[in-house]
Amino acid sequence: MASNKAALVKELGGLIEVETIYTWVPGSGELLVQVEAVSFNPIDAKLQRSNLFQSQYPLIVGFTFAGTVTSIGPDVTSVKPGDRVVVARWGKAGGDNKFGALQKYALALEQNTLRLEPEITFEDASGVIANLATVVSALNIYMGLSLPPVTGKAQTNGKRILVYGGSSAVGGLAVKYATDAGYEVVTTSSPANRKLVEERNATHIIDHCQPKEDLLREIRAHGPYEGIFEAIGSRVTTQLMVELLQETGGRFFSTSPSPGDDRVPGNVQKKWAGYSETLVSQEENRELRGWYMERYLPEALKNRSVWPNPALWLKGGLNSAQEALDLLYDGKVSGKKVLLNPQE
């Protein structure tokens, strides 16, 4: 096996440095994966540049990846060397560099791994596994919405939700997932990404590029809403939700904390959580986790009933990791899912 290399963040705010590191040996319940697709999320860029999560350095970021199993540890039964897999870095793996995506060979916990059928691409699988878990947790656990069927679509239930950011990686999945569960979904998009959002069968798509007063008026006109899911998690979108709700009061669920959250008025509640961790790590959600990992996700990937945004592959392998993080941090990714292959 070739030596391992990783993209390291050595200090808070430090630029990526690519270095040769130890090649890990899988322990009990672990497997070693040759990483062939890293799917980036905005949280990766925030981990590099902010101290929101009290990270330890040096740090290997990256929470979702796909590739080929090279070896397995004791007690692993669901996969074998040579299998194609997708992995999410949940639970105890979250704070351990051995499990970070941005390296040529990463460890994975068997419980966080799904073996892939030959027809499922690495880019689709890595773009869905964690982001869709976020959607399942936010909509079903936190918002109390109904599950969709494992296959097909539920009958319309007459209830309406707002997903702000329908062309974002998480927002797009939320639109399709909630629609399949029978909800009418009102969402937002720029004109440039409207076709992308239309493919996910939203009931109404609102142009978020129009003047703010018109945007808020149109969002209100399509309500009332059973729930509000704000899928961008920025200072700007938080303030917009505050303005939407401040007259009547209410709550919305967001994908991320943001600067200024401490100034949200008392009659408006911004709810945020490590959604996917809630789904996979809390004992009371064991049944829902099993439904997601063992039934819904395999079927959704096989039938492509949900799918990620179109891939934006960066050339250069790990040497392009900083470019990917910069694109996400600067908000320059729209309607795309950024990926790289560490083997290049």
Side-chain angles (χ1 to χ4, degrees):
M1 181 186 296
S3 61
N4 197 10
K5 286 188 175 182
L8 299 168
V9 180
K10 291 191 172 181
E11 61 183 8
L12 179 62
L15 298 179
I16 287 288
E17 299 181 38
V18 178
E19 295 183 0
T20 298
I21 64 166
Y22 182 73
T23 300
W24 316 109
V25 177
S28 179
E30 299 174 353
L31 49 141
L32 186 67
V33 179
Q34 177 178 290
V35 182
E36 296 166 73
V38 176
S39 182
F40 286 87
N41 294 296
I43 192 67
D44 298 320
K46 290 182 179 180
L47 281 169
Q48 181 187 30
R49 305 196 192 204
S50 69
N51 202 29
L52 286 172
F53 303 98
Q54 307 297 310
S55 301
Q56 299 296 310
Y57 299 89
L59 176 67
I60 300 177
V61 300
F63 285 86
T64 51
F65 61 91
T68 305
V69 179
T70 62
S71 61
I72 60 175
D75 306 318
V76 173
T77 60
S78 64
V79 296
K80 63 184 183 304
D83 282 348
R84 303 167 67 254
V85 296
V86 64
V87 178
R89 187 184 178 183
W90 290 318
K92 71 176 185 179
D96 191 331
N97 278 343
K98 295 182 294 185
F99 301 93
L102 280 175
Q103 52 189 321
K104 296 184 74 171
Y105 297 92
L107 286 182
L109 296 177
E110 182 183 19
Q111 66 191 40
N112 296 340
T113 300
L114 180 67
R115 185 175 65 84
L116 299 176
E117 299 298 331
E119 67 271 20
I120 300 172
T121 66
F122 285 152
E123 66 183 55
D124 275 4
S126 62
V128 166
I129 183 172
N131 285 344
L132 186 55
T134 292
V135 170
V136 172
S137 181
L139 271 58
N140 299 132
I141 298 174
Y142 286 87
M143 295 173 65
L145 304 186
S146 301
L147 295 173
V150 172
T151 58
K153 181 178 177 179
Q155 290 187 338
T156 301
N157 58 27
K159 298 177 181 178
R160 183 166 291 191
I161 69 167
L162 172 67
V163 175
Y164 192 91
S167 64
S168 67
V170 172
L173 292 172
V175 170
K176 185 62 167 61
Y177 182 82
T179 298
D180 287 348
Y183 292 88
E184 296 179 0
V185 180
V186 176
T187 191
T188 59
S189 172
S190 66
N193 289 326
R194 185 181 178 91
K195 186 175 185 301
L196 176 69
V197 181
E198 286 176 344
E199 292 173 352
R200 290 175 165 127
N201 299 323
T203 305
H204 296 286
I205 303 172
I206 299 171
D207 178 7
H208 70 230
C209 296
Q210 63 184 306
K212 184 170 63 175
E213 294 75 12
D214 296 334
L215 172 59
L216 289 170
R217 187 180 303 112
E218 190 170 352
I219 291 174
R220 292 189 185 105
H222 286 293
Y225 301 105
E226 189 79 6
I228 298 174
F229 185 49
E230 187 272 294
I232 306 299
S234 70
R235 184 203 301 262
V236 172
T237 51
T238 293
Q239 183 57 37
L240 187 70
M241 293 299 101
V242 167
E243 293 186 40
L244 176 68
L245 296 170
Q246 63 184 359
E247 288 187 11
T248 59
R251 68 177 181 176
F252 67 98
F253 294 85
S254 178
T255 52
S256 176
S258 60
D261 283 356
D262 57 336
R263 295 190 293 277
V264 172
N267 68 331
V268 176
Q269 293 179 300
K270 175 180 177 177
K271 298 291 188 179
W272 175 84
Y275 294 112
S276 59
E277 279 293 335
T278 299
L279 173 64
V280 303
S281 299
Q282 293 186 5
E283 182 64 24
E284 61 265 33
N285 297 318
R286 174 186 287 187
E287 184 176 348
L288 184 59
R289 175 202 164 103
W291 174 85
Y292 175 66
M293 288 294 289
E294 297 166 19
R295 298 179 59 206
Y296 184 77
L297 178 61
E299 196 67 31
L301 289 172
K302 179 181 177 181
N303 295 328
R304 217 165 186 265
S305 56
V306 293
W307 60 90
N309 282 348
L312 174 61
W313 283 95
L314 299 183
K315 299 297 183 182
L318 294 173
N319 292 317
S320 296
Q322 188 60 59
E323 178 185 355
L325 296 173
D326 289 345
L327 287 171
L328 289 166
Y329 191 81
D330 294 337
K332 294 181 178 178
V333 179
S334 178
K336 301 286 186 181
K337 191 69 172 158
V338 180
L339 298 102
L340 64 75
N341 182 352
Q343 305 304 318
E344 291 183 349

